[in-house]
Amino acid sequence: MSVTIQTIRKAHERISPYIERTPLLRLAALDAHLGCRVYVKAECMQRTGAFKLRGALNKMLTLSKEQLAHGVVAASSGNHGRAVAWCARKLGTTAVIVMPRTAPDVKVRNIRALGAEVVLCDATERFEVAERMRAERGATMVPPYNDEDIMAGQGTAGIEIVEQCPSVDMVVSPVSGGGLLGGLSTAVKALAPDVRIYGAEPAALPRYSASLAAGHPVTVERHASLADALVSDTPGSLCFPQVQSHANGVVPVEDAQMLRGMKLLLLEGKVLAEPSACIGLGAVLQGAIPVSPEMKVCFLLSGGNVGLEQLDILK
Amino acid sequence: MSVTIQTIRKAHERISPYIERTPLLRLAALDAHLGCRVYVKAECMQRTGAFKLRGALNKMLTLSKEQLAHGVVAASSGNHGRAVAWCARKLGTTAVIVMPRTAPDVKVRNIRALGAEVVLCDATERFEVAERMRAERGATMVPPYNDEDIMAGQGTAGIEIVEQCPSVDMVVSPVSGGGLLGGLSTAVKALAPDVRIYGAEPAALPRYSASLAAGHPVTVERHASLADALVSDTPGSLCFPQVQSHANGVVPVEDAQMLRGMKLLLLEGKVLAEPSACIGLGAVLQGAIPVSPEMKVCFLLSGGNVGLEQLDILK
């Protein structure tokens, strides 16, 4: 089995009763700044504050009663963890979320508020710690990206984009491990083959740029970035082939451009999204993706889990 | 002539080529906080950042070439001024905007950026100063609210609300002089007579609560409020009868509740609106308007002209 438009459609049917069909907004106030017609798919307005609920639900709705009875474990930079915690509560089970110590406070707080147990560790050891906890408890792992059910779930946002804006010319999405971009690019290219689709990733962690150049997944050196939701140093082994086949490219983006995008989105577009979610806007501001004034470009805003105190970085 | 659904429909036809049909968003993340099903009409995403463009356009599109040649003058707390400045530029004329010294910097900057001349004065003398400048220059006054074309223009938001959310049960709007609430309540009651419509005003300047109780427009004592867009101390003489006939009531709201609404809207709803725009959310948070969990309540977010530095008041 691999991720196809059929598995993504099936996922959409499965999760639709639980998710928000988030709005696709036309933000004309940003056109002059970005040099194209700006649209956003506002997954920052998704339940739990991020697109991650799509994948987590698609995975967890297929678990057996017995599996659910033993709880779930997830390694996450925050947004996947909140989604898994939400699903665990909804489905009457328990969740342990393993997070990097560098995750913003607001993300830790939101997960604890859903009743999940949070374990903090170094970003590099989060999968190892999660696997140990899973084994100890006989629980089920809900992977953040490297899983076909997860990828199919994230791809459902692509079905909605094409339905909500059929004349879209380009889609730009953040990328980390590649669960979102893998699913999204598969869905968009199946439904609208002429639409171009790009990923944007931190220049400090260019795992997809490097891997696409190499032709296979490579691990990049870990450098600090303000993109706290985009911390993978290696593409997911199942995600990479989907991205390689369907995306038109992935571009590295400087933190400063990402923050410029976040500020424009907030003050001119009136939409709050977290720094990582604005990296696609940053890619166009940086000139890394060629656009033109008549082109309809839809930016997927991956999440909105940002605290008031974090807005000071925009000043 | 008075303001009717016919004049509002005519206004809608006239201004539609120039305005955004702003989104009506379902913000389920706010339901538990407000105790109802939350919808917002996001006029904070309107061109020039506020609903005021609707009225200003409806007025200025009917001026003769000769009138336009002599320029326009407007007294404004900021948002009407920005709208008039935008129209002046669009229609190739000049604008003088008379503003209270207490207006936020961002509002003054945005108006100057459109090429208009800004004159600062005390809030109490703004109409007097504007009238003097109008007479000196032989210009045309574009009133902020007490005018039937202005009111009809603002009412066009009501047509859109009923079209975008036909099953809405209640509409809640900020009110100051009454141009918006006068037009809005006229439109909504004509199209959907069962929908309840409320105004929300600063407890520090309860001009409508006092006037509705008295049965005629009264002037209230001027007290300071953070609702910088809601500074009228008296209902407009033409607005008051419309509000009296069509609105179900107007409630005074404390600044603290308005800011609570603004913070919820931003952090949970992911939408940025200025303090005054959030006074309707504050009214429900304060318990001043009775709602219930199944009720669909649409909050008109009147504007989004707020600077990053102003967000510190939410901390």
Side-chain angles (χ1 to χ4, degrees), chain A residues 50-125:
Chain A
F51 74 94
K52 290 283 191 180
L53 186 61
R54 297 174 182 269
L57 265 171
N58 192 45
K59 184 78 184 171
M60 289 177 67
L61 286 171
T62 57
L63 297 183
S64 67
K65 275 190 181 175
E66 208 195 315
Q67 284 176 307
L68 282 177
H70 290 86
V72 296
V73 174
S76 168
S77 61
N79 288 339
H80 174 60
R82 188 174 177 189
V84 170
W86 189 92
C87 294
R89 181 141 103 169
K90 192 83 182 171
L91 301 174
T93 183
T94 58
V96 178
I97 311 298
V98 180
M99 296 174 73
R101 260 183 268 280
T102 50
D105 286 350
V106 65
K107 292 191 173 178
V108 177
R109 280 200 307 273
N110 284 335
I111 292 172
R112 291 203 167 121
L114 287 165
E117 184 183 338
V118 173
V119 176
L120 297 175
C121 67
D122 285 345
T124 48
E125 59 177 19

Side-chain angles (χ1 to χ4, degrees), chain A residues 20 23 25-29 44-45 47 49 82 110 263 266-273 304-309 311-312 314-315, chain B residues 20 23 25-29 44-45 47 49 82 110 263 266-273 304-309 311-312 314-315:
Chain A
E20 290 295 325
L25 302 171
R26 169 79 178 102
L27 298 183
C44 51
M45 296 178 181
R47 265 173 215 184
R82 188 174 177 189
N110 284 335
K263 189 170 175 177
L266 182 62
L267 296 183
E268 305 300 324
K270 316 303 173 189
V271 175
L272 178 65
N305 288 319
V306 55
L308 207 51
E309 66 284 359
L311 299 185
D312 288 339
L314 301 181
K315 283 180 187 168
Chain B
E20 290 295 325
L25 301 171
R26 168 79 177 102
L27 298 183
C44 51
M45 296 178 182
R47 265 173 214 185
R82 188 175 177 189
N110 284 336
K263 189 169 175 175
L266 181 62
L267 296 183
E268 305 300 325
K270 316 302 174 189
V271 175
L272 178 65
N305 289 318
V306 55
L308 207 51
E309 66 284 359
L311 299 185
D312 287 340
L314 301 181
K315 283 181 186 168

